Amino acid sequence: MCSKISKVAIYGRVIHEEFYPYFKQMLHDLNERGVCLTCYRPFYDFLKEKCDVSDVFQAFYDEDVDKDTDVLFSVGGDGTFLDSVMRVKSYGVPVLGINSGRLGFLANIAQEEISQAIRWLCAGEFDVEQRALVKFEMKDNPFAKFNYALNEISILKTERSSLLKVHAYIEGEYLTTYWSDGVIVATPTGSTAYSLSCGGPIVAFGCDNLIITPVSPHNLNMRPLILPGNVKIRLKVESRSGNFMLSADSRMQRMSDNHELFISSSDFKMNVVKMPDHSYYETLRNKLNWGEDKRNKKDRS
């Protein structure tokens, strides 16, 4: 268990009108317990127009949260949660995902669970899970300010009709050339995201692995590959158009083919708040309908 919280940062982009009452109640519950609240300024600007939040926040931030923040509340969906990584960077501030939208695999605190989650946080009755990130380096890196991703790094084609040729090397040794729409390098956390939709395996977040998953490969004998987390991956792209799309979680940038990508596990991990009544395997079961079969109901205990 962790110590009680006294300072919370709020991060978000937009929230829908039906979530306003839950958001206001969340701020009220935190304020009532004497928690110091800071808010991401662009989100606050949105809230001023849509939701009465005057005299609630003690401070604001534009880029990174203060290093003495106890917890960052990511309010939105999984996309917002992924963006929140850029707010905490390597500071070690734990992130709690408040789901204001639909599925919410990473942002897994539902609307009706917010008040209970705050009670646990203020009592110190929560744990922190560590999630590995993937690091990517390249010449003229468009994401040099934060060259990490929580879910995946993706190389994707920019034109509908042509394939990419992605030459892959592991620790300097040639692995293969992927003739495909793209290649994903995912973390265990990202194994349930884009990689999974492309036929990749689910890897539990506590594992130390990187996963290479081809996107719509042109050869049927090409399969996803699970690698140790300490390897170095080099990717070199060829395309008819002369460029490709580089994606780091929700960030995207068009790049020319003369760029090589060097990928490895990050040298730090992201801390994620875990509530007492939540588990990774429960999330798999409930959010992904894992092994859904009416015969399984009698086996639960």
Side-chain angles (χ1 to χ4, degrees):
M1 292 294 172
C2 298
S3 58
K4 300 177 183 179
I5 65 167
S6 60
K7 185 174 182 179
V8 165
I10 307 294
Y11 175 74
R13 296 184 296 197
V14 297
I15 53 176
H16 298 297
E17 186 174 353
E18 56 267 26
F19 187 71
Y20 292 170
Y22 297 97
F23 185 78
K24 288 182 178 180
Q25 185 63 46
M26 179 187 81
L27 296 180
H28 176 268
D29 290 348
L30 289 166
N31 219 20
E32 194 176 50
R33 288 167 172 79
V35 176
C36 175
L37 296 178
T38 67
C39 188
Y40 182 57
R41 189 173 291 278
F43 187 43
Y44 176 72
D45 292 340
F46 165 82
L47 294 171
K48 276 196 304 185
E49 291 185 15
K50 306 292 184 179
C51 190
D52 181 19
V53 291
S54 57
D55 302 325
V56 174
F57 300 108
Q58 285 76 43
F60 303 92
Y61 63 97
D62 294 305
E63 291 292 335
D64 305 350
V65 299
D66 292 337
K67 296 181 182 180
D68 63 347
T69 301
D70 294 315
V71 176
L72 172 72
F73 278 32
S74 172
V75 182
D78 285 351
T80 305
F81 190 97
L82 292 172
D83 283 351
S84 71
V85 182
M86 292 184 287
R87 308 278 78 85
V88 298
K89 293 188 168 63
S90 60
Y91 302 157
V93 176
V95 178
L96 176 70
I98 305 292
N99 182 16
S100 69
R102 297 180 291 272
L103 183 63
F105 196 90
L106 294 171
N108 62 358
I109 301 299
Q111 297 170 350
E112 63 274 11
E113 298 177 308
I114 297 174
S115 292
Q116 178 60 66
I118 290 172
R119 286 193 288 271
W120 276 325
L121 284 167
C122 291
E125 297 177 1
F126 65 98
D127 290 313
V128 172
E129 300 172 339
Q130 290 198 316
R131 301 292 181 107
L133 288 86
V134 60
K135 180 181 180 180
F136 56 103
E137 298 173 294
M138 63 191 307
K139 180 183 176 182
D140 301 323
N141 192 338
F143 307 125
K145 286 184 67 176
F146 189 71
N147 58 322
Y148 300 88
L150 177 60
N151 268 356
E152 73 273 318
I153 304 298
S154 302
I155 287 175
L156 303 169
K157 68 179 185 178
T158 57
E159 295 188 2
R160 283 185 173 183
S161 58
S162 60
L163 296 172
L164 291 181
K165 287 173 63 179
V166 183
H167 308 288
Y169 302 81
I170 309 297
E171 297 291 334
E173 179 182 348
Y174 175 70
L175 172 67
T176 189
T177 295
Y178 294 94
W179 295 72
S180 63
D181 286 357
V183 171
I184 301 164
V185 180
T187 65
T189 296
S191 72
T192 52
Y194 190 19
S195 175
L196 180 63
S197 69
C198 294
I202 293 179
V203 179
F205 72 86
C207 297
D208 181 20
N209 294 108
L210 291 172
I211 305 140
I212 301 182
T213 304
V215 180
S216 302
H218 198 250
N219 28 9
L220 296 178
N221 56 355
M222 193 63 73
R223 293 290 182 267
L225 176 64
I226 300 175
L227 295 166
N230 61 352
V231 302
K232 310 293 184 184
I233 301 169
R234 177 164 65 99
L235 301 177
K236 185 177 180 180
V237 183
E238 288 185 49
S239 68
R240 290 183 183 176
S241 63
N243 53 57
F244 65 92
M245 193 64 70
L246 173 65
S247 169
D249 287 340
S250 56
R251 296 168 287 165
M252 301 189 76
Q253 180 68 43
R254 186 185 293 261
M255 305 296 297
S256 60
D257 285 4
N258 62 347
H259 288 88
E260 287 186 296
L261 207 58
F262 299 87
I263 301 174
S264 60
S265 293
S266 67
D267 46 2
F268 66 93
K269 294 187 177 182
M270 179 185 180
N271 290 328
V272 176
V273 175
K274 177 185 177 298
M275 288 300 161
D277 64 342
H278 282 222
S279 79
Y280 174 76
Y281 303 107
E282 178 189 36
T283 302
L284 279 183
R285 204 168 52 245
N286 294 340
K287 301 291 186 179
L288 299 182
N289 295 320
W290 182 256
E292 187 65 29
D293 190 318
K294 64 181 181 181
R295 294 171 297 179
N296 291 343
K297 293 180 181 178
K298 67 178 185 300
D299 296 329
R300 296 181 183 178
S301 58

